[in-house]
Amino acid sequence: MAELLAELLERCRNGDESAYRIIVKRFQNKALDLAGAILMDKHLAEDAIQEAFMTAFNKLEQLRRPEAFPGWFRQIVRTEVRRITRKKNKQSNNTIQEKNAELSPRATAELMELKK
């Protein structure tokens, strides 16, 4: 029996865990496809959609029209993906800076010259 999204969302707002599971099952594959296509990493994509579902259900009261849930949730997934991407880039930059710090002053100067 396919339940209407509006009914499921209302049940979620009232703390019904079975409704939560149904919504997760209904939207997780598309969310995983979106996050995976952007992140190109299955594990990071899974982390992103897990965070997105938690965010969505914590902010469910902000959703005014139940029929808007798919687009609203997709935007939350994109936001989580951007957060993960920024974190990943920051970690990469920190690693590069650490490696550069290990270089001799001459090697650092040569590297800076190459970057120009």
Side-chain angles (χ1 to χ4, degrees):
M1 171 176 85
E3 294 186 60
L4 292 175
L5 184 57
E7 292 173 15
L8 288 170
L9 292 171
E10 186 59 34
R11 287 175 45 201
C12 285
R13 285 182 177 121
N14 293 324
D16 185 336
E17 290 184 25
S18 65
Y20 175 84
R21 284 192 295 275
I22 292 168
I23 289 176
V24 168
K25 188 173 181 178
R26 194 176 285 183
F27 288 94
Q28 71 183 354
N29 289 338
K30 286 183 181 180
L32 189 57
D33 288 346
L34 173 61
I38 298 169
L39 292 168
M40 303 300 291
D41 182 308
K42 181 183 178 189
H43 299 291
L44 288 177
E46 289 170 347
D47 290 346
I49 66 165
Q50 182 177 11
E51 289 296 323
F53 275 116
M54 289 182 359
T55 299
F57 287 105
N58 285 333
K59 295 183 175 186
L60 202 52
E61 293 301 321
Q62 296 176 10
L63 180 65
R64 294 193 177 140
R65 294 182 8 252
E67 64 274 10
F69 181 84
W72 181 74
F73 180 64
R74 200 170 26 255
Q75 187 57 43
I76 293 172
V77 171
R78 285 188 192 109
T79 299
E80 287 301 326
V81 165
R82 282 193 298 274
R83 184 189 61 75
I84 288 172
T85 301
R86 281 192 307 270
K87 183 178 178 182
K88 189 174 162 183
N89 288 341
K90 185 177 179 182
Q91 288 172 341
S92 294
N93 288 339
N94 288 343
T95 301
I96 290 169
Q97 288 173 353
E98 289 170 7
K99 288 182 180 180
N100 287 345
E102 295 171 3
L103 297 175
S104 69
R106 180 178 177 186
T108 301
E110 289 174 359
L111 184 61
M112 297 294 279
E113 190 65 31
L114 289 173
K115 288 183 178 181
K116 289 183 180 179

